PDB file of all heavy atoms in Angstrom:
ATOM      1  N   LEU A 268      -1.743 -29.694 -29.882  1.00  0.00           N
ATOM      2  CA  LEU A 268      -1.696 -28.520 -30.715  1.00  0.00           C
ATOM      3  C   LEU A 268      -0.458 -28.356 -31.441  1.00  0.00           C
ATOM      4  O   LEU A 268      -0.403 -27.795 -32.649  1.00  0.00           O
ATOM      5  CB  LEU A 268      -2.008 -27.259 -29.881  1.00  0.00           C
ATOM      6  CG  LEU A 268      -3.348 -27.154 -29.201  1.00  0.00           C
ATOM      7  CD1 LEU A 268      -3.389 -25.994 -28.277  1.00  0.00           C
ATOM      8  CD2 LEU A 268      -4.399 -27.056 -30.166  1.00  0.00           C
ATOM      9  N   ASP A 269       0.732 -28.756 -30.809  1.00  0.00           N
ATOM     10  CA  ASP A 269       1.984 -28.431 -31.410  1.00  0.00           C
ATOM     11  C   ASP A 269       2.622 -29.585 -32.099  1.00  0.00           C
ATOM     12  O   ASP A 269       3.488 -30.356 -31.768  1.00  0.00           O
ATOM     13  CB  ASP A 269       2.775 -28.126 -30.230  1.00  0.00           C
ATOM     14  CG  ASP A 269       2.384 -26.804 -29.433  1.00  0.00           C
ATOM     15  OD1 ASP A 269       1.794 -26.047 -30.048  1.00  0.00           O
ATOM     16  OD2 ASP A 269       2.622 -26.834 -28.178  1.00  0.00           O
ATOM     17  N   GLU A 270       2.102 -29.886 -33.376  1.00  0.00           N
ATOM     18  CA  GLU A 270       2.466 -31.113 -34.110  1.00  0.00           C
ATOM     19  C   GLU A 270       3.791 -31.003 -34.660  1.00  0.00           C
ATOM     20  O   GLU A 270       4.458 -31.982 -35.045  1.00  0.00           O
ATOM     21  CB  GLU A 270       1.463 -31.296 -35.282  1.00  0.00           C
ATOM     22  CG  GLU A 270       0.081 -31.594 -34.811  1.00  0.00           C
ATOM     23  CD  GLU A 270      -0.786 -31.969 -35.953  1.00  0.00           C
ATOM     24  OE1 GLU A 270      -0.243 -32.119 -37.104  1.00  0.00           O
ATOM     25  OE2 GLU A 270      -1.948 -32.428 -35.682  1.00  0.00           O
ATOM     26  N   TYR A 271       4.515 -29.735 -34.719  1.00  0.00           N
ATOM     27  CA  TYR A 271       5.856 -29.607 -35.155  1.00  0.00           C
ATOM     28  C   TYR A 271       6.820 -29.605 -33.912  1.00  0.00           C
ATOM     29  O   TYR A 271       8.020 -29.252 -34.221  1.00  0.00           O
ATOM     30  CB  TYR A 271       5.949 -28.310 -35.915  1.00  0.00           C
ATOM     31  CG  TYR A 271       5.078 -28.363 -37.117  1.00  0.00           C
ATOM     32  CD1 TYR A 271       3.788 -27.733 -37.224  1.00  0.00           C
ATOM     33  CD2 TYR A 271       5.442 -29.198 -38.271  1.00  0.00           C
ATOM     34  CE1 TYR A 271       3.023 -27.857 -38.294  1.00  0.00           C
ATOM     35  CE2 TYR A 271       4.531 -29.274 -39.386  1.00  0.00           C
ATOM     36  CZ  TYR A 271       3.366 -28.565 -39.420  1.00  0.00           C
ATOM     37  OH  TYR A 271       2.552 -28.788 -40.520  1.00  0.00           O
ATOM     38  N   ALA A 272       6.416 -29.833 -32.722  1.00  0.00           N
ATOM     39  CA  ALA A 272       7.245 -29.826 -31.510  1.00  0.00           C
ATOM     40  C   ALA A 272       8.436 -30.775 -31.690  1.00  0.00           C
ATOM     41  O   ALA A 272       9.469 -30.484 -31.071  1.00  0.00           O
ATOM     42  CB  ALA A 272       6.520 -30.024 -30.272  1.00  0.00           C
ATOM     43  N   PHE A 273       8.177 -31.755 -32.354  1.00  0.00           N
ATOM     44  CA  PHE A 273       9.319 -32.859 -32.616  1.00  0.00           C
ATOM     45  C   PHE A 273      10.606 -32.134 -33.211  1.00  0.00           C
ATOM     46  O   PHE A 273      11.640 -32.691 -32.878  1.00  0.00           O
ATOM     47  CB  PHE A 273       8.864 -33.817 -33.611  1.00  0.00           C
ATOM     48  CG  PHE A 273       9.796 -34.962 -33.944  1.00  0.00           C
ATOM     49  CD1 PHE A 273      10.161 -35.931 -33.061  1.00  0.00           C
ATOM     50  CD2 PHE A 273      10.178 -35.140 -35.201  1.00  0.00           C
ATOM     51  CE1 PHE A 273      11.091 -36.842 -33.308  1.00  0.00           C
ATOM     52  CE2 PHE A 273      11.166 -36.182 -35.686  1.00  0.00           C
ATOM     53  CZ  PHE A 273      11.544 -36.988 -34.636  1.00  0.00           C
ATOM     54  N   GLY A 274      10.398 -31.022 -33.978  1.00  0.00           N
ATOM     55  CA  GLY A 274      11.416 -30.392 -34.457  1.00  0.00           C
ATOM     56  C   GLY A 274      12.426 -29.788 -33.317  1.00  0.00           C
ATOM     57  O   GLY A 274      13.576 -29.564 -33.595  1.00  0.00           O
ATOM     58  N   GLY A 275      11.894 -29.589 -32.080  1.00  0.00           N
ATOM     59  CA  GLY A 275      12.679 -29.109 -31.159  1.00  0.00           C
ATOM     60  C   GLY A 275      13.788 -30.142 -30.645  1.00  0.00           C
ATOM     61  O   GLY A 275      14.942 -29.754 -30.298  1.00  0.00           O
ATOM     62  N   LEU A 276      13.425 -31.399 -30.795  1.00  0.00           N
ATOM     63  CA  LEU A 276      14.613 -32.512 -30.545  1.00  0.00           C
ATOM     64  C   LEU A 276      15.619 -32.394 -31.616  1.00  0.00           C
ATOM     65  O   LEU A 276      16.913 -32.486 -31.296  1.00  0.00           O
ATOM     66  CB  LEU A 276      13.919 -33.762 -30.492  1.00  0.00           C
ATOM     67  CG  LEU A 276      12.862 -34.168 -29.278  1.00  0.00           C
ATOM     68  CD1 LEU A 276      12.288 -35.497 -29.555  1.00  0.00           C
ATOM     69  CD2 LEU A 276      13.581 -33.982 -27.926  1.00  0.00           C
ATOM     70  N   LYS A 277      15.129 -32.205 -32.814  1.00  0.00           N
ATOM     71  CA  LYS A 277      16.175 -32.080 -33.886  1.00  0.00           C
ATOM     72  C   LYS A 277      16.957 -30.848 -33.781  1.00  0.00           C
ATOM     73  O   LYS A 277      18.075 -30.707 -34.211  1.00  0.00           O
ATOM     74  CB  LYS A 277      15.587 -32.158 -35.192  1.00  0.00           C
ATOM     75  CG  LYS A 277      14.755 -33.462 -35.381  1.00  0.00           C
ATOM     76  CD  LYS A 277      14.216 -33.543 -36.898  1.00  0.00           C
ATOM     77  CE  LYS A 277      15.348 -33.763 -37.891  1.00  0.00           C
ATOM     78  NZ  LYS A 277      14.702 -33.945 -39.245  1.00  0.00           N
ATOM     79  N   ALA A 278      16.407 -29.864 -33.132  1.00  0.00           N
ATOM     80  CA  ALA A 278      17.077 -28.566 -33.028  1.00  0.00           C
ATOM     81  C   ALA A 278      18.128 -28.553 -31.869  1.00  0.00           C
ATOM     82  O   ALA A 278      18.819 -27.521 -31.757  1.00  0.00           O
ATOM     83  CB  ALA A 278      16.061 -27.381 -32.722  1.00  0.00           C
ATOM     84  N   GLY A 279      18.107 -29.653 -30.998  1.00  0.00           N
ATOM     85  CA  GLY A 279      19.103 -29.727 -30.064  1.00  0.00           C
ATOM     86  C   GLY A 279      18.649 -29.888 -28.693  1.00  0.00           C
ATOM     87  O   GLY A 279      19.448 -30.034 -27.663  1.00  0.00           O
ATOM     88  N   ALA A 280      17.250 -29.949 -28.439  1.00  0.00           N
ATOM     89  CA  ALA A 280      16.813 -30.193 -27.125  1.00  0.00           C
ATOM     90  C   ALA A 280      17.223 -31.627 -26.577  1.00  0.00           C
ATOM     91  O   ALA A 280      17.334 -32.563 -27.207  1.00  0.00           O
ATOM     92  CB  ALA A 280      15.179 -29.963 -27.106  1.00  0.00           C
ATOM     93  N   ARG A 281      17.336 -31.654 -25.208  1.00  0.00           N
ATOM     94  CA  ARG A 281      17.679 -32.827 -24.594  1.00  0.00           C
ATOM     95  C   ARG A 281      16.584 -33.639 -23.902  1.00  0.00           C
ATOM     96  O   ARG A 281      16.721 -34.703 -23.467  1.00  0.00           O
ATOM     97  CB  ARG A 281      18.709 -32.514 -23.570  1.00  0.00           C
ATOM     98  CG  ARG A 281      20.068 -31.908 -23.999  1.00  0.00           C
ATOM     99  CD  ARG A 281      20.855 -33.002 -24.727  1.00  0.00           C
ATOM    100  NE  ARG A 281      22.232 -32.544 -25.246  1.00  0.00           N
ATOM    101  CZ  ARG A 281      23.252 -32.736 -24.457  1.00  0.00           C
ATOM    102  NH1 ARG A 281      23.253 -33.370 -23.380  1.00  0.00           N
ATOM    103  NH2 ARG A 281      24.357 -32.118 -24.864  1.00  0.00           N
ATOM    104  N   GLY A 282      15.418 -33.022 -23.844  1.00  0.00           N
ATOM    105  CA  GLY A 282      14.190 -33.600 -23.300  1.00  0.00           C
ATOM    106  C   GLY A 282      12.885 -33.077 -23.840  1.00  0.00           C
ATOM    107  O   GLY A 282      12.960 -32.166 -24.654  1.00  0.00           O
ATOM    108  N   PHE A 283      11.992 -33.802 -23.711  1.00  0.00           N
ATOM    109  CA  PHE A 283      10.682 -33.537 -24.187  1.00  0.00           C
ATOM    110  C   PHE A 283       9.547 -33.991 -23.291  1.00  0.00           C
ATOM    111  O   PHE A 283       9.406 -35.130 -22.887  1.00  0.00           O
ATOM    112  CB  PHE A 283      10.546 -34.188 -25.531  1.00  0.00           C
ATOM    113  CG  PHE A 283       9.531 -33.755 -26.543  1.00  0.00           C
ATOM    114  CD1 PHE A 283      10.070 -33.152 -27.728  1.00  0.00           C
ATOM    115  CD2 PHE A 283       8.214 -33.683 -26.381  1.00  0.00           C
ATOM    116  CE1 PHE A 283       9.190 -32.510 -28.705  1.00  0.00           C
ATOM    117  CE2 PHE A 283       7.332 -33.169 -27.291  1.00  0.00           C
ATOM    118  CZ  PHE A 283       7.868 -32.520 -28.493  1.00  0.00           C
ATOM    119  N   LEU A 284       8.734 -32.965 -22.719  1.00  0.00           N
ATOM    120  CA  LEU A 284       7.686 -33.249 -21.861  1.00  0.00           C
ATOM    121  C   LEU A 284       6.405 -32.625 -22.311  1.00  0.00           C
ATOM    122  O   LEU A 284       6.354 -31.552 -22.926  1.00  0.00           O
ATOM    123  CB  LEU A 284       8.063 -32.731 -20.467  1.00  0.00           C
ATOM    124  CG  LEU A 284       9.013 -33.515 -19.592  1.00  0.00           C
ATOM    125  CD1 LEU A 284       9.398 -32.692 -18.304  1.00  0.00           C
ATOM    126  CD2 LEU A 284       8.625 -34.884 -19.260  1.00  0.00           C
ATOM    127  N   LEU A 285       5.273 -33.305 -21.919  1.00  0.00           N
ATOM    128  CA  LEU A 285       4.045 -32.634 -22.041  1.00  0.00           C
ATOM    129  C   LEU A 285       3.757 -31.672 -20.883  1.00  0.00           C
ATOM    130  O   LEU A 285       4.236 -31.941 -19.816  1.00  0.00           O
ATOM    131  CB  LEU A 285       2.839 -33.725 -22.137  1.00  0.00           C
ATOM    132  CG  LEU A 285       3.074 -34.870 -23.285  1.00  0.00           C
ATOM    133  CD1 LEU A 285       1.889 -35.736 -23.155  1.00  0.00           C
ATOM    134  CD2 LEU A 285       3.103 -34.166 -24.628  1.00  0.00           C
ATOM    135  N   LYS A 286       2.990 -30.672 -21.217  1.00  0.00           N
ATOM    136  CA  LYS A 286       2.728 -29.731 -20.173  1.00  0.00           C
ATOM    137  C   LYS A 286       2.012 -30.170 -18.876  1.00  0.00           C
ATOM    138  O   LYS A 286       2.003 -29.628 -17.872  1.00  0.00           O
ATOM    139  CB  LYS A 286       2.078 -28.380 -20.681  1.00  0.00           C
ATOM    140  CG  LYS A 286       3.002 -27.664 -21.551  1.00  0.00           C
ATOM    141  CD  LYS A 286       2.183 -26.437 -22.073  1.00  0.00           C
ATOM    142  CE  LYS A 286       3.162 -25.558 -22.993  1.00  0.00           C
ATOM    143  NZ  LYS A 286       2.344 -24.431 -23.516  1.00  0.00           N
ATOM    144  N   ASP A 287       1.283 -31.299 -19.063  1.00  0.00           N
ATOM    145  CA  ASP A 287       0.453 -31.843 -17.963  1.00  0.00           C
ATOM    146  C   ASP A 287       1.302 -32.945 -17.245  1.00  0.00           C
ATOM    147  O   ASP A 287       0.667 -33.680 -16.527  1.00  0.00           O
ATOM    148  CB  ASP A 287      -0.870 -32.383 -18.520  1.00  0.00           C
ATOM    149  CG  ASP A 287      -0.754 -33.632 -19.409  1.00  0.00           C
ATOM    150  OD1 ASP A 287       0.445 -33.830 -19.849  1.00  0.00           O
ATOM    151  OD2 ASP A 287      -1.783 -34.107 -19.784  1.00  0.00           O
ATOM    152  N   ALA A 288       2.627 -33.010 -17.493  1.00  0.00           N
ATOM    153  CA  ALA A 288       3.369 -33.967 -16.815  1.00  0.00           C
ATOM    154  C   ALA A 288       3.268 -33.651 -15.250  1.00  0.00           C
ATOM    155  O   ALA A 288       3.150 -32.513 -14.715  1.00  0.00           O
ATOM    156  CB  ALA A 288       4.875 -33.796 -17.144  1.00  0.00           C
ATOM    157  N   GLN A 289       3.305 -34.809 -14.389  1.00  0.00           N
ATOM    158  CA  GLN A 289       3.263 -34.584 -12.979  1.00  0.00           C
ATOM    159  C   GLN A 289       4.662 -33.904 -12.540  1.00  0.00           C
ATOM    160  O   GLN A 289       5.548 -34.081 -13.106  1.00  0.00           O
ATOM    161  CB  GLN A 289       3.204 -36.003 -12.392  1.00  0.00           C
ATOM    162  CG  GLN A 289       1.941 -36.722 -12.698  1.00  0.00           C
ATOM    163  CD  GLN A 289       0.727 -36.044 -12.120  1.00  0.00           C
ATOM    164  OE1 GLN A 289       0.726 -35.652 -10.976  1.00  0.00           O
ATOM    165  NE2 GLN A 289      -0.292 -35.862 -12.943  1.00  0.00           N
ATOM    166  N   PRO A 290       4.428 -33.208 -11.407  1.00  0.00           N
ATOM    167  CA  PRO A 290       5.675 -32.528 -10.886  1.00  0.00           C
ATOM    168  C   PRO A 290       6.847 -33.353 -10.660  1.00  0.00           C
ATOM    169  O   PRO A 290       8.015 -33.028 -10.943  1.00  0.00           O
ATOM    170  CB  PRO A 290       5.128 -31.993  -9.490  1.00  0.00           C
ATOM    171  CG  PRO A 290       3.521 -31.805  -9.646  1.00  0.00           C
ATOM    172  CD  PRO A 290       3.231 -32.913 -10.585  1.00  0.00           C
ATOM    173  N   SER A 291       6.628 -34.660 -10.312  1.00  0.00           N
ATOM    174  CA  SER A 291       7.769 -35.565 -10.090  1.00  0.00           C
ATOM    175  C   SER A 291       8.386 -35.934 -11.339  1.00  0.00           C
ATOM    176  O   SER A 291       9.675 -36.040 -11.484  1.00  0.00           O
ATOM    177  CB  SER A 291       7.300 -36.895  -9.402  1.00  0.00           C
ATOM    178  OG  SER A 291       6.210 -37.588 -10.059  1.00  0.00           O
ATOM    179  N   GLU A 292       7.553 -36.074 -12.457  1.00  0.00           N
ATOM    180  CA  GLU A 292       8.083 -36.322 -13.774  1.00  0.00           C
ATOM    181  C   GLU A 292       8.915 -35.266 -14.340  1.00  0.00           C
ATOM    182  O   GLU A 292       9.926 -35.285 -14.947  1.00  0.00           O
ATOM    183  CB  GLU A 292       6.970 -36.535 -14.732  1.00  0.00           C
ATOM    184  CG  GLU A 292       7.368 -36.974 -16.173  1.00  0.00           C
ATOM    185  CD  GLU A 292       6.177 -37.418 -17.115  1.00  0.00           C
ATOM    186  OE1 GLU A 292       5.064 -37.155 -16.644  1.00  0.00           O
ATOM    187  OE2 GLU A 292       6.378 -37.820 -18.135  1.00  0.00           O
ATOM    188  N   LEU A 293       8.371 -33.933 -14.058  1.00  0.00           N
ATOM    189  CA  LEU A 293       9.082 -32.786 -14.477  1.00  0.00           C
ATOM    190  C   LEU A 293      10.546 -32.640 -13.790  1.00  0.00           C
ATOM    191  O   LEU A 293      11.508 -32.418 -14.497  1.00  0.00           O
ATOM    192  CB  LEU A 293       8.289 -31.511 -14.150  1.00  0.00           C
ATOM    193  CG  LEU A 293       8.865 -30.131 -14.390  1.00  0.00           C
ATOM    194  CD1 LEU A 293       9.156 -29.882 -15.871  1.00  0.00           C
ATOM    195  CD2 LEU A 293       8.000 -29.054 -13.871  1.00  0.00           C
ATOM    196  N   THR A 294      10.447 -32.692 -12.529  1.00  0.00           N
ATOM    197  CA  THR A 294      11.707 -32.610 -11.691  1.00  0.00           C
ATOM    198  C   THR A 294      12.669 -33.728 -12.017  1.00  0.00           C
ATOM    199  O   THR A 294      13.862 -33.478 -12.067  1.00  0.00           O
ATOM    200  CB  THR A 294      11.504 -32.579 -10.150  1.00  0.00           C
ATOM    201  OG1 THR A 294      10.774 -33.688  -9.752  1.00  0.00           O
ATOM    202  CG2 THR A 294      10.643 -31.285  -9.796  1.00  0.00           C
ATOM    203  N   ALA A 295      12.241 -34.913 -12.343  1.00  0.00           N
ATOM    204  CA  ALA A 295      13.028 -36.054 -12.526  1.00  0.00           C
ATOM    205  C   ALA A 295      13.823 -35.760 -14.030  1.00  0.00           C
ATOM    206  O   ALA A 295      14.900 -35.995 -14.135  1.00  0.00           O
ATOM    207  CB  ALA A 295      12.398 -37.294 -12.715  1.00  0.00           C
ATOM    208  N   ALA A 296      12.963 -35.162 -14.943  1.00  0.00           N
ATOM    209  CA  ALA A 296      13.451 -34.910 -16.299  1.00  0.00           C
ATOM    210  C   ALA A 296      14.575 -33.778 -16.158  1.00  0.00           C
ATOM    211  O   ALA A 296      15.582 -33.891 -16.889  1.00  0.00           O
ATOM    212  CB  ALA A 296      12.397 -34.500 -17.154  1.00  0.00           C
ATOM    213  N   ILE A 297      14.303 -32.872 -15.334  1.00  0.00           N
ATOM    214  CA  ILE A 297      15.376 -31.736 -15.152  1.00  0.00           C
ATOM    215  C   ILE A 297      16.580 -32.245 -14.611  1.00  0.00           C
ATOM    216  O   ILE A 297      17.740 -31.952 -15.160  1.00  0.00           O
ATOM    217  CB  ILE A 297      14.808 -30.541 -14.308  1.00  0.00           C
ATOM    218  CG1 ILE A 297      13.598 -29.836 -15.036  1.00  0.00           C
ATOM    219  CG2 ILE A 297      15.828 -29.454 -13.963  1.00  0.00           C
ATOM    220  CD1 ILE A 297      12.829 -28.862 -14.251  1.00  0.00           C
ATOM    221  N   ARG A 298      16.497 -33.047 -13.618  1.00  0.00           N
ATOM    222  CA  ARG A 298      17.749 -33.715 -13.019  1.00  0.00           C
ATOM    223  C   ARG A 298      18.501 -34.533 -13.992  1.00  0.00           C
ATOM    224  O   ARG A 298      19.638 -34.434 -13.926  1.00  0.00           O
ATOM    225  CB  ARG A 298      17.262 -34.410 -11.692  1.00  0.00           C
ATOM    226  CG  ARG A 298      16.810 -33.575 -10.546  1.00  0.00           C
ATOM    227  CD  ARG A 298      16.787 -34.403  -9.267  1.00  0.00           C
ATOM    228  NE  ARG A 298      16.330 -33.550  -8.182  1.00  0.00           N
ATOM    229  CZ  ARG A 298      15.097 -33.189  -7.827  1.00  0.00           C
ATOM    230  NH1 ARG A 298      14.105 -33.861  -8.269  1.00  0.00           N
ATOM    231  NH2 ARG A 298      14.854 -32.323  -6.843  1.00  0.00           N
ATOM    232  N   ALA A 299      17.799 -35.309 -14.801  1.00  0.00           N
ATOM    233  CA  ALA A 299      18.437 -36.201 -15.751  1.00  0.00           C
ATOM    234  C   ALA A 299      19.164 -35.418 -16.741  1.00  0.00           C
ATOM    235  O   ALA A 299      20.173 -35.676 -17.179  1.00  0.00           O
ATOM    236  CB  ALA A 299      17.347 -37.098 -16.400  1.00  0.00           C
ATOM    237  N   VAL A 300      18.492 -34.379 -17.264  1.00  0.00           N
ATOM    238  CA  VAL A 300      18.991 -33.546 -18.282  1.00  0.00           C
ATOM    239  C   VAL A 300      20.185 -32.802 -17.824  1.00  0.00           C
ATOM    240  O   VAL A 300      21.124 -32.604 -18.468  1.00  0.00           O
ATOM    241  CB  VAL A 300      18.009 -32.627 -18.922  1.00  0.00           C
ATOM    242  CG1 VAL A 300      18.637 -31.647 -19.757  1.00  0.00           C
ATOM    243  CG2 VAL A 300      16.960 -33.476 -19.748  1.00  0.00           C
ATOM    244  N   ALA A 301      20.159 -32.182 -16.494  1.00  0.00           N
ATOM    245  CA  ALA A 301      21.161 -31.481 -15.906  1.00  0.00           C
ATOM    246  C   ALA A 301      22.393 -32.387 -15.720  1.00  0.00           C
ATOM    247  O   ALA A 301      23.601 -31.934 -15.859  1.00  0.00           O
ATOM    248  CB  ALA A 301      20.685 -30.881 -14.577  1.00  0.00           C
TER     249      ALA A 301
END
């Protein structure tokens, strides 16, 4: 649905995940970004 979400990376986001990511994928991304 969110075809313009790529703009979030250009706006300064450090990570990008789909909402259906597995819990392990979510927590690993948070630790990596932190």
Side-chain angles (χ1 to χ4, degrees):
L268 297 175
D269 304 326
E270 295 191 0
Y271 298 102
F273 180 64
L276 294 178
K277 297 185 72 175
R281 296 294 187 92
F283 205 111
L284 283 176
L285 301 182
K286 288 183 179 179
D287 63 354
Q289 294 297 312
S291 59
E292 187 179 2
L293 174 65
T294 55
I297 292 173
R298 290 190 177 96
V300 167

